[in-house]
Amino acid sequence: MYEEKHMWDTVYIRGKFFAGFRTTSRCEGLHSIVARYVGSRHDLTSFVEHFQRCVAHMRFKEFNADYESTRGVPVMKTCIELLERYAAELYTYEIFRFFRPFLSRAGSMRVLNIENNDDGIKYIMCKHGRPDFMWTIDFRQEEMIFMCTCLRMESFGIPCEHIVKVLVDIDICEIPRSLVLDRWTKKVKSALIDPSGFTRDAVVISRQSALMEFSKQLAAVAAKVPERYEETRDLIMGLYSSYKAVDEGTNQPHSDVAKSSDY
């Protein structure tokens, strides 16, 4: 029994990257979402139809999350405004909300001692009014590498308040690259490559997801009536031809554009 604790107990997984997963609660939460759409009494056809609705719902929520991350900069709330603003521009909206309390708690940290050695600089600090709780941060200035005994950076990929305190102490206004995990940044989707081999921008991917969702809703309504189907088909093909002509640099006649807009 004690050997199995190494697989799930927080004490043993501390310092190992699990992206915030500690229990099966997130898997159970996913199961509860699927259960809203899929039931044991559904046949195979109904299962596929309802499951596609579930996936479309989850993708639409992802699109909303991407939109929240790209629309403007949140209001600054901490006294470390330069680091906070840089984090707001770097991280996604959800990760920034998770990281901002660390910036606030960095103000309550107090440096007890600074030791210089051949390997780098060692900071020993504690919480204000709590000298019994101490942490040690090893800082290698040449490589800009930070290691804290709390191991939060290794566990989740977000700098802890102790490392933030060191950044403030050495007057660094940006989060060093060694402390940035790509999966938590806004630009992570820009590294996605489509089958053609070209890199697509995250904003374009978000727009494409939104248009696909709206198109599915339109198709579900238009396909029920033959006249609506033909009208919708002609509209889509007209818009496609118009946009394709613009992308290719050709001059689309005004009459064609007007016909597309008449729908």
Side-chain angles (χ1 to χ4, degrees), residues 89-229:
E89 297 175 353
L90 176 69
Y91 292 126
T92 62
Y93 180 70
E94 292 295 330
I95 297 300
F96 173 70
R97 289 179 57 189
F98 181 83
F99 174 66
R100 182 151 55 182
F102 298 156
L103 295 173
S104 301
R105 291 199 292 266
S108 63
M109 294 293 114
R110 185 167 65 94
V111 178
L112 297 177
N113 190 21
I114 301 177
E115 300 177 2
N116 293 281
N117 48 49
D118 297 335
D119 296 333
I121 306 174
K122 179 178 292 186
Y123 288 81
I124 301 176
M125 65 179 60
C126 69
K127 191 174 181 180
H128 177 70
R130 298 295 301 272
D132 50 331
F133 288 94
M134 292 190 299
W135 296 271
T136 301
I137 299 91
D138 292 321
F139 170 46
R140 302 177 189 174
Q141 190 169 3
E142 295 182 359
E143 300 90 351
M144 292 299 293
I145 296 177
F146 300 79
M147 297 184 63
C148 181
T149 53
C150 74
L151 299 178
R152 185 174 289 119
M153 180 65 198
E154 289 77 8
S155 301
F156 193 79
I158 296 292
C160 58
E161 57 266 33
H162 319 117
I163 294 179
V164 172
K165 178 65 175 180
V166 176
L167 294 177
V168 175
D169 187 74
I170 59 181
D171 198 23
I172 293 181
C173 302
E174 297 181 356
I175 301 176
R177 187 66 185 84
S178 60
L179 298 175
V180 177
L181 202 62
D182 290 337
R183 69 184 302 151
W184 302 141
T185 61
K186 296 178 181 179
K187 297 182 179 180
V188 64
K189 287 188 176 182
S190 62
L192 296 177
I193 300 177
D194 61 6
S196 63
F198 295 98
T199 302
R200 297 184 296 177
D201 186 77
V203 177
V204 176
I205 297 175
S206 300
R207 293 172 180 171
Q208 182 179 352
S209 301
L211 289 175
M212 291 177 63
E213 177 64 24
F214 298 146
S215 299
K216 288 180 181 179
Q217 298 177 10
L218 176 63
V221 177
K224 296 179 180 180
V225 181
E227 292 78 6
R228 291 180 180 176
Y229 162 73

